Amino acid sequence: MKSALLDSPIGYLKGVGPAKAELLQKELEVFSFEDLLYQYPFRHVDRTTFHRVADLTPDSGDVQLRGILRKLETVGAGPKKRLVAKLRDDSGVIELVWFKGATWLVNSLEIGKEYVVFGRVSSYGSGLNIAHPEMEEFDPEKSKTAPTLLPVYSSTEKLNSKGLDVRARRRLMVELLQKIQPSDLPENLPDELLAKLRLPSRYAAIRGIHFPLSQQELDAARKRLKFEELFLLQLRLLQLKHGRHASVKGNVFDQVGEYFNRYYREKMPFELTEAQKRVIKEIRRDLGLGIQMNRLLQGDVGSGKTMVALLCMLIALDNGFQACLMAPTEILAQQHFQSITAYLDGMGIEVGYLTGSVKGNPRKAVLERLASGDLHIVIGTHALLEDPVEFHRLGLAITDEQHRFGVAQRARLWNKSKPFPPHVLVMTATPIPRTLAMTLYGDLDISVIDELPPGRKPITTTHRTEAHRLRVFGFMKEQIALGRQIYVVYPLIEESEKLDLKNLEEGYEAISRAFPKPEYQISILHGRMKSADKDYEMGRFVRGETQIMVATTVIEVGVNVPNASVMVIENTERFGLSQLHQLRGRVGRGADQSYCILMSDYKLGKESRLRIETMCRTNDGFEIAEADLRLRGPGDLEGTQQSGILNLKIADLARDGRILQFARQIAQQILDEDPQLQHPSNARLKAFLDSQKHALRGWSRIS
Ligand code: ADP
Ligand code: MG
């Protein structure tokens, strides 16, 4: 039962008039008391300790100062207009600066008064300053009685300038907390669990996260709320998984027959790695159970996911079913089509290809052959999900590179297979960190290929700047003389597409001058080109007719040219870590020593430097994924943006891995003992899950 008080519109709170209510809605999506309550502070200020101005350095970070306001003036004009102040304490003077909201501040600050200032130190010219600090008049009386730890809420320019700055936000929270009784925040975790884990009640934790009386209270509140958030999420995911296992029947693939055996014994060009064997065993077990499989296959770039996919498709064929393999891009679909038809040569297996660009009669033919069952396997893009595509008997759908389906897509796919939905295998392009996998894919079974095929030499990665350009060209020439091929990759992001294209073209020209015809042949590839031209250029490179491929990140996923052994990445600072790793994975696929050269400006931001260092230090995709998560946070990782599941209020997947693992373990234990949550001690959990049934719809996927 939800408390009526918490449901009250935010405008009913004392101190929130219509204008502020609208602002809170627009800026923070706060509509009710409850929404405001769940705006947790992202840090607290210890108001008992003050820094001395003389001790500050560019690395001091967030500091609290106490001093007299000495000077206050508006400088510049137009968009450059800013308010500059000086604060003096008994050790020195520091500059404070505001770029926006200055007019309003000028009227509220007073020279000669003593202020408590809170903000982040940054270096400015040869000195230090603090931009947009919080200012509060120093009040000796208040500072004696006030709590020591004050919450700091994330804010926006608008809120700050319209009377909802951090102090006003605190006042609102005090107001709200005064109204809230324990009955408004009923406990949602079992008492036994709280006792066992020594966690405070929900009521105590929510009060404690806003206005803790001590660091210990704050820590306990945080721990409780993080645990609750992750635990309830895992409980939902695991229940979804259990529920599906119990209710969604699947086609039984109980035989391994002619296709699989013949291919495995006679045609497979290499021996599987132990990891590949293990994963295939896991999948085979799933396929025989009569329950629809939903499995995530994780493996580093080059770990051989394609062969695993192929062998699984053969099992489907052996049981009289068709299989499809879907890729996110046309180029990748083509590559899959080429490599799979080559692998299957002489097996008497019919493989079709379907993407948006297959039109007219060829399209008609593919559709007919799929419907009649003449085609055993089809490889393509999302076009495979469209309505006219009908299968004779689809048994297995494999999606490459982090495809997650929405509800509509899922329904479409399921309709293509009767009477049961197809088994589903999702393959990720690059590894994702454990914590993220557990959350994003927490309702799937997970298989991991944690071993690369034998004989791979680790790729040597180096960092170079423009000053090394000639040497880099020289190195490229040496490699070409050895018969190798080279990629040169430029960033292309949508906002600056034109500029990027210009970069690419200039780069292409520079390389053309340094590597003249006819000795050297160069391919160019970017997203703006016509499909046929792309094919042509890619084809020339694949056949070894060109030695250098100048391209944008269109080559990022999946492309496989084993003779390419050098990857030069331009403007490295503009790429994310997992993208860099993915790009590097395009080389090192043959027997030769391979190289990755990361070109960048001499001057780099801290994050770019860390990314580049990480790339130079390790080739391990899982390690890189972890570093990426730490650097950028889960919200920014590729493929996760749309996922509402990462809207965590307080837990942080980069830091709270241990809590997450623990929470999942406990959720699993509870569901193992009491799958339907019928035991009275689990009544709260059952009530929670029942209340969430509808919420799950928005976050859907093939699973
Ligand atoms: P990814 O996991 O990145 O999709 P691929 O499936 O493209 O990797 O495989 C990368 C390369 O490794 C391919 O050239 C493939 O033929 C080769 N390969 C895969 N498995 C093995 C193996 N067990 N032994 C040797 N080479 C393998
Ligand atoms: Mg692949």
Side-chain angles (χ1 to χ4, degrees), residues 270-273 276 300-307 343 453-454 456 560 589:
F270 40 69
E271 174 82 8
L272 293 183
T273 62
Q276 284 169 317
D300 205 346
V301 181
S303 62
K305 294 184 286 288
T306 315
M307 183 50 72
Y343 278 143
R456 297 270 169 85
N560 194 10
R589 303 193 146 229

Side-chain angles (χ1 to χ4, degrees), residues 305-306 336 400-401 558:
K305 294 184 286 288
T306 315
H336 275 318
D400 196 9
E401 324 291 351

Side-chain angles (χ1 to χ4, degrees), residues 445-642:
D445 294 300
I446 298 182
S447 289
V448 181
I449 308 184
D450 51 7
E451 179 188 355
L452 292 181
R456 297 270 169 85
K457 295 197 181 82
I459 300 164
T460 304
T461 303
T462 47
H463 177 208
R464 297 280 179 262
T465 64
E466 207 48 47
H468 304 107
R469 177 66 67 188
L470 281 181
R471 270 202 278 158
V472 171
F473 280 172
F475 178 73
M476 288 163 66
K477 284 186 179 154
E478 281 168 27
Q479 289 292 308
I480 291 172
L482 292 170
R484 306 287 126 75
Q485 287 167 281
I486 296 173
Y487 294 103
V488 182
V489 177
Y490 287 81
L492 188 67
I493 54 171
E494 275 158 33
E495 305 119 63
S496 60
E497 208 174 323
K498 279 213 179 100
L499 192 72
D500 282 335
L501 214 50
K502 194 165 153 256
N503 270 344
L504 173 83
E505 276 157 8
E506 282 171 7
Y508 175 75
E509 275 160 28
I511 290 170
S512 302
R513 280 194 298 277
F515 297 82
K517 284 181 188 172
E519 194 182 352
Y520 299 99
Q521 298 292 329
I522 306 173
S523 283
I524 182 163
L525 193 66
H526 59 78
R528 288 268 188 91
M529 286 162 62
K530 289 208 193 88
S531 188
D533 297 339
K534 279 188 212 164
D535 288 354
Y536 173 76
E537 290 289 334
M538 195 65 220
R540 291 207 303 152
F541 189 67
V542 171
R543 289 189 298 271
E545 293 163 21
T546 58
Q547 297 94 1
I548 303 177
M549 163 65 82
V550 179
T552 60
T553 46
V554 289
I555 63 136
E556 178 183 339
V557 267
V559 174
N560 194 10
V561 181
N563 190 49
S565 66
V566 182
M567 167 64 65
V568 180
I569 301 177
E570 300 286 343
N571 300 107
T572 303
E573 63 274 22
R574 295 206 9 221
F575 290 94
L577 253 183
S578 73
Q579 212 180 8
L580 289 172
H581 181 62
Q582 183 58 235
L583 283 170
R584 178 169 61 183
R586 298 305 109 213
V587 298
R589 303 193 146 229
D592 311 315
Q593 173 64 50
S594 292
Y595 303 88
C596 176
I597 302 174
L598 305 173
M599 302 294 296
S600 82
D601 275 351
Y602 183 71
K603 234 184 130 176
L604 283 174
K606 191 169 154 217
E607 247 196 48
S608 314
R609 187 162 294 282
L610 275 170
R611 282 200 298 263
I612 290 175
E613 274 168 20
T614 306
M615 285 294 294
C616 293
R617 184 184 70 238
T618 179
N619 275 299
D620 178 341
F622 283 94
E623 190 181 334
I624 287 171
E626 296 287 346
D628 201 19
L629 179 62
R630 276 197 307 276
L631 275 174
R632 294 205 293 172
D636 289 333
L637 295 189
E638 274 137 64
T640 65
Q641 286 93 336
Q642 322 87 322

Side-chain angles (χ1 to χ4, degrees), residues 190-192 674 677-686:
D191 289 330
E192 294 91 285
D674 183 12
L677 301 177
Q678 280 159 337
H679 196 272
S681 64
N682 291 327
R684 286 171 188 161
L685 299 180
K686 180 156 180 11

Side-chain angles (χ1 to χ4, degrees), residues 236-266:
R236 273 160 74 186
L237 290 165
L238 289 170
Q239 207 212 20
L240 204 66
K241 183 165 138 185
H242 287 214
R244 206 176 39 226
H245 280 190
S247 66
V248 182
K249 291 218 165 45
N251 299 305
V252 182
F253 293 0
D254 54 2
Q255 24 189 326
V256 168
E258 173 70 14
Y259 285 129
F260 184 96
N261 285 330
R262 204 174 127 222
Y263 186 77
Y264 196 87
R265 300 212 181 101
E266 296 168 20

